[in-house]
Amino acid sequence: MTYFYFILKSALEDFRRNKVRTLLTSLGILIGVSSVVLLMAFGLGLKKYITDQFESLGANLLIIFPGKLIQNGQFRQGPGGLGGKRFDEKDVLKLTKIKTALYIVPAFTKTVEVSGGSHTETADIYATTNDIFAIRNLELDLGSYFTATDNDKRSKYAVLGPKIAEKLFGTKETALGRSVKIENQGFKVVGILKSKGGGGFGGPDLDSFAYIPYKTSYSFNPDKKFIAINIKVDRQDNIQSTKEQVKKIMLDRYSEDDFSVIEATEILNAVSSIFAIMNAVLVAIAAISLIVGGIGIMNIMYVSVVERTKEIGIRRAVGATRSDILYQFLIESVILSLVGGFLGLLISYLVVLLVQKFFPAYMNLESILIALGVSSLIGIVFGVFPARKASLLSPIDAIRYE
Amino acid sequence: MIKLLNVSKQYTLEDEVFFALKKVSLEIGEGEFIGIVGPSGCGKSTLMHLIGLLDRPTEGQVKILGRDVFTLQDEERSKMRNQVIGFVFQQFNLLNKLTVLENVLLPTIYTRSKTDVNHQDKARALLQRFGIEKQINSYPNKISGGQQQRVAIARALINNPKIILADEPTGNLDSQSGKVILDLLGTLNKNDKITVIIVTHDKEVAGKTKRQIRLKDGEIV
Ligand SMILES: Nc1ncnc2c1ncn2[C@@H]1O[C@H](COP(=O)(O)OP(=O)(O)OP(=O)(O)O)[C@@H](O)[C@H]1O
Ligand SMILES: [Mg+2]
């Protein structure tokens, strides 16, 4: 106990005497730690954002895409992405035979100009069945969904996301019951959805979607082809077997390369792995500043050892061993580094709080522990050379030093 | 208690080999009060540093309490400096960032073996005995030289050493304070049965000791 008290007091007294020097040395670590922690926080936030987005797609979902989108858990390189054949109603009919598939929901999407009120906006139309609302947890805010009958009757009904509704008509309330023009046809706004959030970072802006019955869309989709087929599986356990059945059925009409059956989580993993790599590269670059900070500590510790040669001699004369001296200087450099680490964490925390309004950054326990662990490690690694030098001084040379 | 056998210390300065000590052999018994005397540069301090395990001889053997100390590991030698030997230097060598009390306690933080002695109480008692109890929480650079030297002696005594090595302990003091320090060292020898070795070139100081070892050009005369 007293041992640490004495070493701590000696270290703190030294820092107090050299306030500016101590601060500048810690600053190096501070900058390093805060850049690493902040980049980790942004990476974490981005990952959480993406995960949330995919979760909002709904659970137990399989999606059939044309072409080969994902291979070995990565997005496919080069050509062959979203090309290939498109699907039709015959596929949907065949897929309904699968017992574990609760809903088969085809979709045709197109980015179009939508006008209504006195505005015209770009929006994604999502031509599909009424089941889309169930499988994607799209809750209604105002009005009603369109129905299966509406689809069969090719009713010109549209259910709007809240954002596009507000853009066109000012408020959601005024949008309900009004008419919007999509591809030169009038659609009645029968329902407005609750917000799902999202948009930005290239992700889909779900709140700006306009959902219409797919059969109605045939007027501007003359091939009657779908871009995707969503399949809701009854239970998590049945996802793999359902996937196999879907593939088998699809292979009757298409070749292996013309379609992919993907779980929502697979896309999530592929997207996440891209961001994880990007983030790791950035964090690695930031880590260089930590090394620079460490060299700053090493530099100051060397100076400190020279300045305190006499002190080392006195301690050796009263019985300090080489290891005692080594530990004393190691502890000091770790303290220096940890002070920088703590301040860096504090600043990162403040920055994260500040940007949270615009960016979903957040810090987890892991990044805090990593920051503190890494700063202690830097203190040890860069402190060990000066500390070793101090410990190897001969007692007599040290005590005679003026 | 202390035994030197053919101990030499040589320095090489610009290719010239120079002996600070030349084949010195001597024996010092328990409870002796020794003065090491001789002209400046004759090797007094060098001898003391070897006995105090602060420096290594170039050749020869140094035995303390029967142990051939320079065959031991650094740990062991440090332990002996901690528990068997107490130093008093001309320049006091106190740490200015620690208080008087903390300076006296400094050796105890390096003491590994457990004792049931309360070091705090002991340090206070020593400081009281030497009449500096009022300065207990002062810093060394705020007290007089005589007081600093008494703090240094208290520090040397905190672990009950068998030997006290004092290199010109009165060299930086006025004659009055010097006399106090010298009397103190005498009492430690007489009452506490500590072997006291004083390095000095002052004849008056040397006169107070019971046996003098005289050096000249690194040799005992
Ligand atoms: N580190 C060193 N390198 C070279 N020569 C040294 C070293 N230390 C001491 N000497 C030399 O060794 C000799 C003995 O020195 P020492 O300090 O033992 O003398 P001393 O008797 O204590 O003298 P003084 O009374 O002036 O303190 C001196 O000539 C000195 O110059
Ligand atoms: Mg000398």
Side-chain angles (χ1 to χ4, degrees):
Chain A
M1 259 332 285
T2 25
Y3 183 72
F4 280 104
Y5 168 79
F6 269 70
I7 284 184
L8 228 63
K9 168 154 187 185
S10 164
L12 294 182
E13 190 63 23
D14 227 60
F15 297 156
R16 198 182 58 78
R17 284 187 195 188
N18 304 296
K19 279 191 207 82
V20 175
R21 190 169 90 182
T22 309
L23 224 71
L24 288 177
T25 312
S26 296
L27 195 64
I29 296 295
L30 184 152
I31 291 170
V33 165
S34 41
S35 40
V36 168
V37 169
L38 277 177
L39 280 169
M40 278 170 63
F42 287 136
L44 279 169
L46 202 58
K47 191 172 168 197
K48 186 166 154 44
Y49 174 83
I50 295 167
T51 313
D52 288 351
Q53 286 287 293
F54 275 91
E55 266 161 15
S56 72
L57 280 180
N60 302 348
L61 209 59
L62 290 174
I63 304 169
I64 312 176
F65 285 114
K68 278 273 166 272
L69 185 63
I70 293 182
Q71 260 179 356
N72 305 327
Q74 302 275 313
F75 281 110
R76 195 187 148 117
Q77 309 278 312
L82 285 170
K85 295 243 168 54
R86 309 280 170 106
F87 318 114
D88 57 25
E89 277 190 73
K90 211 168 154 189
D91 298 316
V92 176
L93 209 66
K94 289 176 79 176
L95 289 167
T96 48
K97 278 184 230 143
I98 302 172
K99 286 201 186 66
T100 49
L102 288 185
Y103 300 102
I104 315 289
V105 184
F108 168 75
T109 64
K110 192 171 181 186
T111 305
V112 295
E113 300 280 300
V114 176
S115 34
S118 49
H119 298 275
T120 300
E121 295 286 340
T122 305
D124 290 310
I125 55 156
Y126 204 88
T128 183
T129 73
N130 56 305
D131 291 332
I132 193 77
F133 303 116
I135 67 170
R136 292 224 171 146
N137 308 322
L138 296 167
E139 285 178 68
L140 205 57
D141 194 0
L142 299 168
S144 58
Y145 299 122
F146 58 77
T147 62
T149 332
D150 292 334
N151 190 29
D152 291 334
K153 288 195 332 205
R154 301 199 179 192
S155 302
K156 297 213 158 102
Y157 287 168
V159 174
L160 299 185
K163 208 154 155 193
I164 183 73
E166 278 170 7
K167 271 190 188 159
L168 291 171
F169 297 102
T171 66
K172 289 178 283 191
E173 286 75 13
T174 47
L176 191 66
R178 297 282 291 275
S179 168
V180 289
K181 200 161 239 173
I182 299 168
E183 297 278 3
N184 287 319
Q185 297 181 30
F187 281 75
K188 188 183 174 195
V189 179
V190 294
I192 312 286
L193 298 172
K194 283 188 182 161
S195 174
K196 291 284 268 183
F201 315 115
D205 186 2
L206 296 173
D207 289 350
S208 290
F209 274 30
Y211 297 87
I212 60 171
Y214 76 85
K215 286 185 181 167
T216 315
S217 78
Y218 283 165
S219 55
F220 50 89
N221 178 19
D223 295 347
K224 301 187 178 180
K225 294 278 191 192
F226 304 123
I227 283 168
I229 300 174
N230 301 287
I231 299 161
K232 171 88 167 178
V233 182
D234 59 351
R235 291 205 332 260
Q236 173 95 43
D237 302 345
N238 290 332
I239 288 184
Q240 281 315 315
S241 61
T242 311
K243 194 173 173 182
E244 291 313 311
Q245 293 180 65
V246 170
K247 272 189 189 161
K248 215 171 143 206
I249 290 170
M250 295 302 283
L251 280 172
D252 287 346
R253 293 183 67 200
Y254 306 96
S255 73
E256 179 85 51
D257 284 342
D258 286 341
F259 71 95
S260 337
V261 186
I262 289 162
E263 291 165 51
T265 50
E266 280 183 82
I267 307 179
L268 171 63
N269 291 343
V271 173
S272 303
S273 74
I274 289 179
F275 278 113
I277 291 168
M278 264 170 54
N279 200 238
V281 169
L282 287 176
V283 169
I285 292 169
I288 293 173
S289 63
L290 265 178
I291 292 173
V292 174
I295 292 170
I297 287 192
M298 183 147 83
N299 182 24
I300 286 305
M301 289 311 291
Y302 269 124
V303 173
S304 178
V305 168
V306 172
E307 280 179 355
R308 290 157 67 195
T309 303
K310 192 161 186 91
E311 174 189 332
I312 295 166
I314 293 171
R315 286 175 187 272
R316 294 282 273 142
V318 301
T321 61
R322 278 184 188 149
S323 343
D324 286 326
I325 301 297
L326 182 86
Y327 291 139
Q328 180 184 346
F329 281 89
L330 265 187
I331 288 171
E332 282 186 27
S333 70
V334 170
I335 291 176
L336 258 183
S337 180
L338 268 180
V339 166
F342 265 118
L343 293 178
L345 265 180
L346 197 73
I347 286 179
S348 311
Y349 181 68
L350 294 179
V351 171
V352 164
L353 278 189
L354 222 70
V355 302
Q356 236 161 16
K357 283 204 185 75
F358 325 101
F359 196 96
Y362 80 101
M363 278 159 71
N364 58 5
L365 185 67
E366 208 175 306
S367 57
I368 293 171
L369 291 181
I370 287 178
L372 296 181
V374 164
S375 0
S376 325
L377 195 72
I378 289 215
I380 293 172
V381 168
F382 289 94
V384 80
F385 299 101
R388 207 178 121 74
K389 182 185 168 189
S391 75
L392 291 180
L393 286 173
S394 101
I396 187 61
D397 291 342
I399 206 164
R400 278 234 196 104
Y401 187 87
E402 287 303 335
Chain B
M1 152 158 276
I2 300 168
K3 210 169 166 181
L4 272 70
L5 205 70
N6 291 324
V7 170
S8 299
K9 177 75 188 177
Q10 69 182 51
Y11 293 106
T12 312
L13 288 174
E14 289 156 11
D15 296 339
E16 246 180 84
V17 178
F18 163 80
F19 282 88
L21 285 180
K22 228 179 283 171
K23 295 211 178 283
V24 170
S25 297
L26 61 83
E27 197 167 343
I28 296 171
E30 202 169 335
E32 280 204 76
F33 193 14
I34 305 269
I36 298 178
V37 296
S40 183
C42 69
K44 305 184 293 292
S45 295
T46 306
L47 180 61
M48 200 202 88
H49 295 147
L50 291 176
I51 297 172
L53 317 186
L54 291 174
D55 205 358
R56 289 184 148 275
T58 315
E59 54 186 359
Q61 229 179 27
V62 178
K63 280 191 173 173
I64 294 174
L65 299 175
R67 302 173 81 184
D68 188 352
V69 289
F70 289 101
T71 62
L72 299 174
Q73 295 287 311
D74 173 70
E75 311 268 292
E76 281 298 313
R77 269 199 304 281
S78 300
K79 192 173 165 189
M80 292 189 86
R81 282 198 296 271
N82 187 242
Q83 317 215 323
V84 180
I85 300 162
F87 289 100
V88 179
F89 298 97
Q90 183 174 353
Q91 300 90 345
F92 322 131
N93 284 341
L94 300 171
L95 290 181
N96 282 330
K97 41 187 188 181
L98 300 180
T99 64
V100 161
L101 181 66
E102 286 164 351
N103 264 287
V104 175
L105 286 170
L106 188 65
T108 67
I109 71 164
Y110 298 115
T111 306
R112 296 292 190 282
S113 47
K114 280 263 158 277
T115 55
D116 27 272
V117 186
N118 184 327
H119 294 304
Q120 280 266 348
D121 291 349
K122 179 142 191 241
R124 284 171 197 279
L126 280 168
L127 289 168
Q128 184 144 25
R129 175 174 165 194
F130 300 160
I132 31 178
E133 68 273 17
K134 285 204 182 64
Q135 284 78 22
I136 215 160
N137 291 317
S138 308
Y139 285 86
N141 47 3
K142 301 273 153 56
I143 61 177
S144 77
Q147 288 169 332
Q148 287 189 58
Q149 197 60 303
R150 279 177 277 163
V151 174
I153 294 173
R155 178 180 68 186
L157 290 172
I158 189 76
N159 272 342
N160 288 327
K162 294 207 159 29
I163 305 160
I164 292 240
L165 300 174
D167 193 349
E168 309 272 11
T170 59
N172 275 3
L173 302 176
D174 59 84
S175 56
Q176 184 55 39
S177 319
K179 194 180 163 326
V180 172
I181 294 299
L182 219 58
D183 288 346
L184 225 161
L185 291 171
T187 321
L188 291 176
N189 171 256
K190 205 168 152 198
N191 296 353
D192 301 52
K193 308 282 179 253
I194 297 172
T195 308
V196 176
I197 303 172
I198 300 179
V199 167
T200 184
H201 58 255
D202 187 325
K203 286 202 173 60
E204 212 175 316
V205 173
K208 301 254 183 181
T209 60
K210 294 190 190 131
R211 171 155 81 105
Q212 284 97 46
I213 294 169
R214 202 164 297 277
L215 284 177
K216 192 167 182 270
D217 297 332
E219 289 176 289
I220 295 186
V221 291

